[in-house]
Amino acid sequence: MASTEIYFDDTSPPAPETQKSRQRLLNVFKPISRFFTTVSDGVQDWTPFVMVFSYFAFSICIYMVAPSGVMKVFWFIYLMTNTYIATATVVEALMSIGPFHDSKKAASKVEKKNWIFPTPDADLDILDIIFVAYLPNEQDIIMDRIYYLLEKIVYPRDKLRINILYNTPFPIEPLESQMSQLTMKFPELRVIKVPGSKSKADNINYYCSLNTGAHVSAIYDCDHYPHPYGPRWAMERFATSKSVDIVQGRCVIFNASVNLLTAMISVEFDKIYAVSHPGRSAMFDFGLFCGSNGFWRTSLLRELRMDESMLTEDIDSALRAFGRGANVVHDLNVTSFELAPTTLSGFWKQRLRWSQGWFQATLRHMNLIWCRSEVEEKHRTPVQRFGLLSLLWIRESSYYLITQYLCLVISIVITDFPSTGAELYKLLFFQYPVAWWLFMLSIISFFGTLYITFHTRSEFVLWWMIPIFTVTYPVQLLFTALMGLWGHARQLSKYAKWNPTART
């Protein structure tokens, strides 16, 4: 018996009455959908604030009813931890003196030879410079950076590739056409609009899928001006040591003089990149890729790639490289100049993203402290494990110790407000006799660190910025701890918004 098949033609347009009904429903539900979306966004935005506020309120109330013995224990724990952090910081600073003088000596030697480096140009590897851009945010500066790279970078042109990898949710003309046209004039330039990209990680991962022939790949954010000889210094490290996997350079804030905020950020960056990073590398025998001005062996970068699910994909990749036993060195001659946020709101958004990203990476990679190395022949030493403990767990815990100390002081002020300045002075610093010694050791360590920072500061940090940084440091410390708590609250509440740092 032959089968009978019935076909329905559903390609015909719906009746006008049906279309009108659908449109009426859309008109009704669209405001409702918009309302729920707004409410949902508001809940997500305000949940971290409520969590942090509740944390402070609960802590102060607990201290107000706690017995004096418990108060002494908390006070002692805070002061001991603060003393450890201050001491470790000054030891890192002392350890950074050697790398700083070595870099100055090497630069002076090359300068006297009219910038002739030890390794001949013919023996250098092929270098890819990668500039990553979110175009709507960096459309005002990207052409300037492209011309700078083409005209100022000193490196054999037959071994240099400049890659501009950008993403944008909408076309930006005539800028995109102008960038594309430059590739016809400069053969070493590649401009790539990454398809489907929504992040820096997507852009870098797309680059990793390309076969460019480069031995080393340098990653920069779009606001950077690499020093003309910066890439040459990095490639010198690769040429003289085959064991080096990543070279992390020094990042310098060049808009330090814009306002007080940028001045303080510039001092902070000098303290981090010129003192803390090379000092920690010498002290704990490991370095870290810091997100920009970092030079990777291309094979390692392609192997690890970037995890687009991580908020700070650079720190995640740095810790994964550490887990693989990668040899990361910090070179102070590999210098790059970048922009600091010029407004408090921009600074707040940037640091909250960093805080949440660091906490996210810490949770993922905490096991590196006690787990065996992934690579059999590259074992982590006890010193490296302790350094990672200090970098991850102790640093993240310090936010709570600092704010707990603040809550403790507030509770005492509420329950037993000091009547004289001397009593207030004693309350803040010397509630217990041991505090004298711990406080003085912390102060000596702090001034020692700043003294070394002063002598390693960049040309953009003026002398008067250091004293202001010193005076305002307690406020900065509390502000940093608050942002750290806020970042933790964001991560716990699954906050997923990404706020790019404005570039002008």
Side-chain angles (χ1 to χ4, degrees):
M1 182 177 178
S3 62
T4 304
E5 296 183 358
I6 302 174
Y7 295 93
F8 294 94
D9 183 10
D10 59 352
T11 60
S12 58
E17 293 79 7
T18 305
Q19 288 182 326
K20 289 180 181 180
S21 299
R22 287 179 180 178
Q23 188 61 44
R24 281 196 295 268
L25 285 173
L26 284 174
N27 292 338
V28 170
F29 284 106
K30 193 176 291 184
I32 297 175
S33 174
R34 192 180 300 116
F35 170 77
F36 279 108
T37 300
T38 303
V39 171
S40 176
D41 290 343
V43 169
Q44 189 179 51
D45 288 337
W46 281 93
T47 296
F49 168 78
V50 173
M51 293 174 69
V52 173
F53 179 82
S54 301
Y55 163 85
F56 276 101
F58 180 77
S59 298
I60 292 171
C61 291
I62 288 294
Y63 287 127
M64 288 175 66
V65 298
S68 60
V70 174
M71 301 279 275
K72 288 181 180 180
V73 170
F74 277 105
W75 200 289
F76 182 75
I77 291 173
Y78 165 74
L79 287 175
M80 283 299 297
T81 308
N82 179 70
T83 302
Y84 162 75
I85 294 172
T87 304
T89 301
V90 77
V91 172
E92 286 180 357
L94 291 170
M95 297 290 283
S96 73
I97 294 175
F100 176 75
H101 283 298
D102 290 344
S103 66
K104 296 281 284 185
K105 185 178 178 180
S108 177
K109 187 176 180 180
V110 172
E111 186 178 12
K112 288 178 180 178
K113 293 183 178 181
N114 197 26
W115 297 101
I116 302 298
F117 286 79
T119 303
D121 288 355
D123 295 339
L124 292 173
D125 287 331
I126 297 174
L127 169 65
D128 266 353
I129 292 180
I130 308 167
F131 258 58
V132 186
Y134 175 60
L135 202 58
N137 200 50
E138 279 134 350
Q139 57 184 308
D140 294 333
I141 65 172
I142 192 167
M143 288 297 289
D144 172 72
R145 300 310 192 267
I146 292 174
Y147 279 115
Y148 176 88
L149 293 171
L150 292 169
E151 297 170 1
K152 300 297 184 181
I153 298 300
V154 181
Y155 199 79
R157 275 304 184 259
D158 61 328
K159 297 189 174 185
L160 177 65
R161 309 285 186 272
I162 297 170
N163 302 269
I164 309 298
L165 292 104
Y166 73 94
N167 61 293
T168 176
F170 49 84
I172 300 179
E173 293 292 354
L175 178 59
E176 292 187 66
S177 297
Q178 292 170 353
M179 290 193 297
S180 180
Q181 290 166 7
L182 281 177
T183 60
M184 294 183 284
K185 184 178 179 182
F186 299 95
E188 68 271 31
L189 176 65
R190 298 191 193 100
V191 176
I192 302 172
K193 182 177 182 179
V194 180
S197 172
K198 294 182 179 179
S199 65
K200 174 181 177 179
D202 288 339
N203 291 349
I204 294 175
N205 288 342
Y206 183 84
Y207 165 81
C208 291
S209 69
L210 305 176
N211 184 15
T212 65
H215 302 100
V216 176
S217 302
I219 298 174
Y220 289 95
D221 290 332
C222 193
D223 62 316
H224 276 249
Y225 286 110
H227 187 282
Y229 286 103
R232 187 65 175 80
W233 281 111
M235 298 305 288
E236 192 70 23
R237 294 297 293 264
F238 286 108
T240 56
S241 177
K242 299 302 179 185
S243 66
V244 172
D245 296 304
I246 300 173
V247 176
Q248 175 60 52
R250 176 182 180 179
C251 297
V252 174
I253 299 297
F254 72 86
N255 62 333
S257 60
V258 171
N259 54 40
L260 184 61
L261 176 63
T262 59
M264 295 303 97
I265 296 173
S266 65
V267 176
E268 178 200 30
F269 264 56
D270 281 354
K271 180 174 173 290
I272 293 172
Y273 282 94
V275 178
S276 295
H277 285 329
R280 186 191 60 250
S281 179
M283 184 177 176
F284 295 118
D285 193 30
F286 72 89
L288 286 177
F289 167 62
C290 301
S292 195
N293 195 24
F295 292 70
W296 291 64
R297 288 203 183 273
T298 305
S299 57
L300 178 63
L301 180 62
R302 286 201 178 114
E303 180 184 349
L304 294 180
R305 302 168 71 89
M306 298 286 161
D307 188 341
E308 62 275 2
S309 69
M310 300 296 287
L311 200 59
T312 49
E313 70 290 321
D314 43 15
I315 300 303
D316 172 71
S317 65
L319 292 171
R320 285 190 287 121
F322 174 84
R324 294 298 303 272
N327 181 18
V328 184
V329 298
H330 291 268
D331 194 317
L332 295 175
N333 284 326
V334 183
T335 307
S336 185
F337 309 98
E338 65 173 293
L339 290 167
T342 56
T343 64
L344 193 59
S345 63
F347 175 74
W348 176 260
K349 290 177 182 178
Q350 180 193 68
R351 295 307 171 94
L352 281 186
R353 186 173 72 250
W354 291 1
S355 296
Q356 183 182 353
W358 263 102
F359 184 52
Q360 190 182 40
T362 297
L363 293 176
R364 170 179 280 193
H365 298 289
M366 182 75 77
N367 63 336
L368 291 174
I369 298 170
W370 58 81
C371 285
R372 296 180 63 181
S373 176
E374 298 174 19
V375 182
E376 198 64 37
E377 64 272 12
K378 294 185 178 181
H379 300 288
R380 285 192 283 277
T381 65
V383 171
Q384 289 176 323
R385 293 177 187 275
F386 183 76
L388 198 64
L389 173 70
S390 181
L391 177 69
L392 299 181
W393 189 82
I394 294 178
R395 182 185 51 79
E396 293 293 329
S397 301
S398 68
Y399 303 143
Y400 296 91
L401 293 164
I402 292 169
T403 52
Q404 284 298 305
Y405 173 72
L406 176 64
C407 292
L408 191 151
V409 171
I410 292 174
S411 70
I412 296 175
V413 169
I414 292 173
T415 57
D416 188 17
F417 190 81
S419 57
T420 65
E423 289 182 2
L424 178 62
Y425 178 73
K426 181 181 178 181
L427 167 67
L428 292 176
F429 300 110
F430 309 118
Q431 183 79 358
Y432 307 106
V434 71
W436 280 96
W437 299 100
L438 297 177
F439 178 75
M440 290 309 299
L441 182 57
S442 297
I443 287 294
I444 292 170
S445 299
F446 174 62
F447 277 101
T449 302
L450 286 181
Y451 177 80
I452 295 171
T453 303
F454 180 83
H455 287 280
T456 60
R457 72 189 192 278
S458 69
E459 63 269 35
F460 301 101
V461 173
L462 305 178
W463 69 267
W464 56 265
M465 296 178 182
I466 301 290
I468 295 178
F469 184 88
T470 305
V471 172
T472 60
Y473 188 72
V475 177
Q476 295 182 49
L477 200 62
L478 288 172
F479 197 61
T480 300
L482 175 62
M483 288 189 290
L485 292 182
W486 209 294
H488 290 188
R490 278 187 164 190
Q491 182 61 22
L492 293 174
S493 63
K494 307 297 184 183
Y495 186 92
K497 291 183 180 179
W498 177 68
N499 298 305
T501 305
R503 312 288 194 194
T504 55

